[in-house]
Amino acid sequence: MRIDIITVLPELLTSPFSASIMKRAQDKGLVEIHVHDLREFGKGKYRHVDDYPYGGSSGMVLMCEPLDQCIEKLVAQRTYDEIIYLTPDGKTLNQSIANSFSLKKNLMMICGHYKGIDQRIRDMWVTKEISIGDYVLSGGEFGAIILADSIIRLIPGVLGDETSALSDSFQDNLLAPPVYTRPAEYKGHKVPEILLSGNFPKIEKWLHEQAIERTRARRPDLLDE
Ligand code: ADE
């Protein structure tokens, strides 16, 4: 998979993609991440990429031309399965969206900033609009990082244990059951007996019951879906 990210703040994206699972996925050649600095497409000494909104409201809007030129350059080089704009008015990210993006080959992500991007770029280019939750961030960069992480960990071979992405919370609309590791007793708190029993069919059943119980208590809405 290849992910191209367009941003005015490329430095924000350096560290998340240089550590842990997202780094390992790149090192293994399972994903390529290319960050593009929108300012390189800006005009003038200050590489202008934003302007005041028409209609007089406050804030700044990322202009059409730099974005259009950057996107044009990328689409001339390959076909993108999706051109995703990160925005609070997009569809809220969930596991099933991450699952479907993880099957794609080329994804482009556009990070808004300030008041967002000119609507015409959304109309001309964007194929999916994604929000990471009902709150407003200063830009789409953290959204792009979260979206990329949720996708990349699902690519076969990225996680060491092939089954672990499948047992995540939300994969079957259930929250994950509690987990424990050694020691078997800590400050008087014991690991549930069943997990030490070695009876794997019984353990499986218990874990499933715990997942349902936890979902019922914390996110009953998921059980309705
Ligand atoms: N940009 C600003 N807020 C955002 C959000 N909630 N999700 C995705 N991108 C955003």
Side-chain angles (χ1 to χ4, degrees):
M1 175 184 289
R2 174 178 167 122
I3 302 176
D4 289 273
I5 305 176
I6 303 174
T7 171
V8 287
L9 291 169
E11 65 272 24
L12 265 190
L13 301 173
T14 314
S15 145
F17 292 120
S18 316
S20 185
I21 287 168
M22 293 205 277
K23 175 172 193 300
R24 201 174 342 131
Q26 293 171 84
D27 291 347
K28 285 184 179 172
L30 297 168
V31 65
E32 273 181 42
I33 295 164
H34 297 265
V35 176
H36 306 275
D37 185 353
L38 186 63
R39 286 201 189 280
E40 287 177 15
F41 298 83
K43 290 245 168 68
K45 188 170 158 207
Y46 297 105
R47 301 219 164 253
H48 225 82
V49 292
D50 58 346
D51 209 338
Y52 296 100
Y54 276 118
S57 54
S58 64
M60 300 295 271
V61 177
L62 292 181
M63 297 155 73
C64 284
E65 196 178 356
L67 274 168
D68 189 43
Q69 286 179 356
C70 182
I71 298 167
E72 283 268 17
K73 187 176 161 189
L74 292 170
V75 299
Q77 291 163 14
R78 68 197 61 77
T79 303
Y80 285 87
D81 298 295
E82 301 287 2
I83 298 183
I84 303 160
Y85 173 47
L86 282 304
T87 173
D89 61 10
K91 191 166 175 358
T92 309
L93 178 62
N94 59 28
Q95 192 60 46
S96 108
I97 295 175
N99 290 349
S100 81
F101 284 150
S102 77
L103 304 171
K104 308 290 185 193
K105 194 159 171 277
N106 295 311
L107 297 175
M108 190 191 301
M109 298 183 190
I110 302 170
C111 305
H113 220 76
Y114 320 114
K115 278 278 166 197
I117 67 175
D118 192 299
Q119 179 61 40
R120 288 165 290 184
I121 293 296
R122 298 168 75 161
D123 300 340
M124 286 161 65
W125 288 112
V126 170
T127 60
K128 289 270 168 15
E129 300 191 320
I130 299 293
S131 162
I132 58 160
D134 288 342
Y135 40 82
V136 180
L137 302 165
S138 346
E141 286 75 15
F142 292 110
I145 294 162
I146 286 166
L147 177 59
D149 185 286
S150 74
I151 295 168
I152 290 169
R153 60 194 302 288
L154 296 170
I155 299 171
V158 167
L159 294 184
D161 174 358
E162 289 283 4
T163 60
S164 70
L166 291 174
S167 58
D168 286 339
S169 277
F170 297 113
Q171 272 303 359
D172 43 14
N173 263 8
L174 290 178
L175 301 182
V179 291
Y180 299 87
T181 186
R182 284 183 292 183
E185 184 172 341
Y186 184 71
K187 291 188 173 173
H189 297 266
K190 290 185 175 150
V191 170
E193 204 68 49
I194 177 85
L195 294 176
L196 311 175
S197 70
N199 184 336
F200 293 104
K202 260 188 140 168
I203 292 174
E204 276 302 310
K205 185 166 172 281
W206 183 83
L207 289 172
H208 189 63
E209 286 163 5
Q210 290 290 311
I212 292 172
E213 194 38 57
R214 189 164 270 203
T215 311
R216 189 172 291 135
R218 299 180 183 200
R219 292 291 307 276
D221 55 301
L222 291 175
L223 296 173
D224 300 337
E225 278 175 22

